[in-house]
């Protein structure tokens, strides 16, 4: 039996005065992801049957490389934002919630850097 | 925190049955959830089935319960709308005080936390009420029709998992009602208080709330409007 009043339990630490940035970013990154996805699909569709060298040449053009880097970054960002929502919804214990969140963000940061480096290697001709 | 299993003493087991009197016409089976806090087991009490009710016309909000799998007001739900047995449970995912009576303490505290009253600094005119246009009045007309039955909040998965921090559709609809009231002068403070990953942004527009509301209100839309207003003042 708690001696705290119900209102005290509800108001507790007060508002975080945040969350709208996350909400907005989730929507904007979704729009960006749709556009970048369309670009990727359109580009790949025109290259059906192209040789490895052709695809590498295409990806080393500044515009294609820039879009590819953006795609990697936006995809990772959007995934993190989405997973954060799921974690906050379903991981109840406070310490656990923060720990899972940090691990997820770390994993996606590493994945994003690997993705970007992979594109850059092609763009700068290291991999070719 | 998500809880997918009922506590030991709340698991549903077969209970008592009362056969219809001989010669009865229009017989329907009612299956009613029972919970006796003293014995820790349902179905041992039988002389009194406990539930809240008052107005019997859908205006007090007391008799909200889960009937045939849907949160609704018992007094205006017709048996003829239900095919087969009538299954009756308390509002989902709330602590049960007894039988069909859920503990709504937290729900009411959340309502109180949004300060559901007019806040102004400008004194009221000495000789008349505060005025607002007909159009502005109509904006608060529908949200004001909420009877705080809790059908919406207790149908909301986000509320099930995080009701200690998420305010839920009913309290947020009430907050919205005061945010859009053109006579109120605390709109900014009200938005400040709501801008929180848990208080407000747990709503993912699942729309269970609008589906459940026996007064045909749309808390999901009100919540979306609140989010838009908060975004508006950033851009
Ligand atoms: S729309 Fe929001 S408040 Fe309504 S049921 Fe869904 S998550 Fe809950
Ligand atoms: S919005 Fe509808 S369901 Fe929710 S508390 Fe008000 S009347 Fe009940
Ligand atoms: S008894 Fe008042 S709403 Fe049902």
């Amino acid at each position: 039996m708690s001696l705290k009043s119900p209102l005290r339990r509800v108001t507790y630490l007060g508002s975080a005065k945040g969350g709208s940035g996350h909400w907005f970013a989730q929507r904007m990154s979704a729009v960006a992801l749709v556009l970048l996805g369309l670009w990727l699909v359109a580009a790949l569709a025109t290259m059906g049957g192209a040789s490895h060298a052709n695809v590498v040449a295409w990806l080393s053009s500044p515009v294609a490389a820039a879009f590819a880097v953006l795609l990697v970054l936006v995809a990772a960002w959007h995934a993190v934002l989405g997973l954060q929502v799921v974690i906050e919804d379903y991981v109840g214990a406070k310490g656990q919630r923060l720990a899972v969140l940090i691990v997820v963000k770390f994993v996606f940061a590493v994945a994003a850097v690997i993705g970007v480096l992979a594109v850059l290697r092609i763009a700068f001709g290291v991999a070719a | 925190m998500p809880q997918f299993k009922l506590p030991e003493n709340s698991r549903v087991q077969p209970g008592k049955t009362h056969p219809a009197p001989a010669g009865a016409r229009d017989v329907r089976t009612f299956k009613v959830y029972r919970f006796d806090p003293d014995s820790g087991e349902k179905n041992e009490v039988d002389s009194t089935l406990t539930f809240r009710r008052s107005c019997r016309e859908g205006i007090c909000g007391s008799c909200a319960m889960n009937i045939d799998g849907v949160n609704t007001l018992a007094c205006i739900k017709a048996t003829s709308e239900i095919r087969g047995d009538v299954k009756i449970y308390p509002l989902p995912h709330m602590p049960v005080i007894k039988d069909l009576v859920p503990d709504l303490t937290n729900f009411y505290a959340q309502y109180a936390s949004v300060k559901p009253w007019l806040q102004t600094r400008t004194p009221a005119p000495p000789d008349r009420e505060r005025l607002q246009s007909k159009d502005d009045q109509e904006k608060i007309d529908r949200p004001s029709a909420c009877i705080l039955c809790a059908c919406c909040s207790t149908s909301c998965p986000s509320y099930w998992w995080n009701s200690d921090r998420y305010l839920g559709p009913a309290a947020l609809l009430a907050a919205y009602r005061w945010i859009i009231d053109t006579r109120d002068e605390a709109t900014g403070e009200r938005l400040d208080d709501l801008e929180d990953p848990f208080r407000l942004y747990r709503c993912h527009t699942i729309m269970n709330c609008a589906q459940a509301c026996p007064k045909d209100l749309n808390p999901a839309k009100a919540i979306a409007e609140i989010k838009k207003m908060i975004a508006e003042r950033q851009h």
Side-chain angles (χ1 to χ4, degrees), chain B residues 125-203:
Chain B
D127 51 346
R128 66 196 310 178
E129 56 284 309
R130 293 170 199 271
L131 295 181
Q132 73 182 154
S133 75
K134 189 164 176 295
D135 283 353
D136 288 340
Q137 202 289 321
E138 274 162 10
K139 284 188 202 135
I140 60 169
D141 207 33
R142 295 281 295 149
S144 303
C146 170
I147 56 172
L148 283 178
C149 63
C151 282
C152 55
S153 293
T154 59
S155 75
C156 168
S158 285
Y159 194 74
W160 295 342
W161 311 145
N162 284 300
S163 57
D164 55 333
R165 297 179 71 183
Y166 175 45
L167 290 178
L172 289 171
L173 179 70
Y176 174 74
R177 180 248 172 275
W178 291 103
I179 285 167
I180 54 162
D181 192 318
T182 49
R183 297 163 300 179
D184 193 85
E185 292 167 354
T187 317
E189 287 94 317
R190 291 182 188 280
L191 292 176
D192 283 346
D193 268 356
L194 294 180
E195 189 178 354
D196 182 280
F198 282 87
R199 287 185 175 184
L200 173 67
Y201 290 99
R202 279 306 94 205
C203 170

Side-chain angles (χ1 to χ4, degrees), chain B residues 101-120:
Chain B
V101 176
D103 183 353
L104 295 174
T105 311
N106 183 52
F107 176 82
Y108 293 139
Q110 287 170 320
Y111 175 64
S113 80
V114 305
K115 302 188 181 152
W117 54 79
L118 189 74
Q119 296 181 70
T120 58

Side-chain angles (χ1 to χ4, degrees), chain B:
Chain B
M1 160 137 202
Q3 195 184 330
F4 296 102
K5 234 176 163 185
L6 287 168
E8 195 66 58
N9 68 353
S10 301
R11 306 265 161 78
V12 181
Q13 288 147 25
K16 275 198 178 166
T17 49
H18 301 278
R25 284 178 304 144
D26 192 17
V27 176
R28 294 294 294 271
T29 306
F30 283 73
K31 295 189 170 172
V32 183
Y33 176 93
R34 305 296 305 266
F35 176 72
D36 176 9
D38 298 326
S39 73
E41 279 173 35
K42 304 155 299 300
N43 310 323
E44 286 185 10
V45 197
D46 210 44
S47 54
T48 51
L49 168 67
T50 309
F51 57 94
R52 293 192 183 106
R53 87 283 176 274
S54 177
C55 71
R56 60 94 183 94
E57 57 183 4
I59 201 62
C60 73
S62 307
C63 66
M65 50 190 81
N66 187 285
I67 302 177
D68 195 31
V70 182
N71 293 352
T72 191
L73 300 172
C75 66
I76 54 171
K77 179 87 178 176
T79 318
S80 56
E81 291 170 40
I82 299 162
R83 289 202 289 160
D85 297 347
V86 183
K87 299 198 185 87
I88 305 180
Y89 284 84
L91 289 173
H93 217 278
M94 300 299 264
V96 175
I97 297 174
K98 186 171 187 284
D99 293 342
L100 300 173
V101 176
D103 183 353
L104 295 174
T105 311
N106 183 52
F107 176 82
Y108 293 139
Q110 287 170 320
Y111 175 64
S113 80
V114 305
K115 302 188 181 152
W117 54 79
L118 189 74
Q119 296 181 70
T120 58
R121 278 191 280 172
T122 309
D127 51 346
R128 66 196 310 178
E129 56 284 309
R130 293 170 199 271
L131 295 181
Q132 73 182 154
S133 75
K134 189 164 176 295
D135 283 353
D136 288 340
Q137 202 289 321
E138 274 162 10
K139 284 188 202 135
I140 60 169
D141 207 33
R142 295 281 295 149
S144 303
C146 170
I147 56 172
L148 283 178
C149 63
C151 282
C152 55
S153 293
T154 59
S155 75
C156 168
S158 285
Y159 194 74
W160 295 342
W161 311 145
N162 284 300
S163 57
D164 55 333
R165 297 179 71 183
Y166 175 45
L167 290 178
L172 289 171
L173 179 70
Y176 174 74
R177 180 248 172 275
W178 291 103
I179 285 167
I180 54 162
D181 192 318
T182 49
R183 297 163 300 179
D184 193 85
E185 292 167 354
T187 317
E189 287 94 317
R190 291 182 188 280
L191 292 176
D192 283 346
D193 268 356
L194 294 180
E195 189 178 354
D196 182 280
F198 282 87
R199 287 185 175 184
L200 173 67
Y201 290 99
R202 279 306 94 205
C203 170
H204 310 313
T205 328
I206 307 162
M207 299 287 272
N208 274 14
C209 51
Q211 196 85 43
C213 178
K215 306 300 280 185
D216 277 330
L217 305 178
N218 193 341
K221 188 153 169 275
I223 297 169
E225 290 299 322
I226 296 174
K227 289 177 184 167
K228 267 199 244 164
M229 276 184 262
I230 290 176
E232 198 180 311
R233 59 181 195 172
Q234 305 247 12
H235 299 278

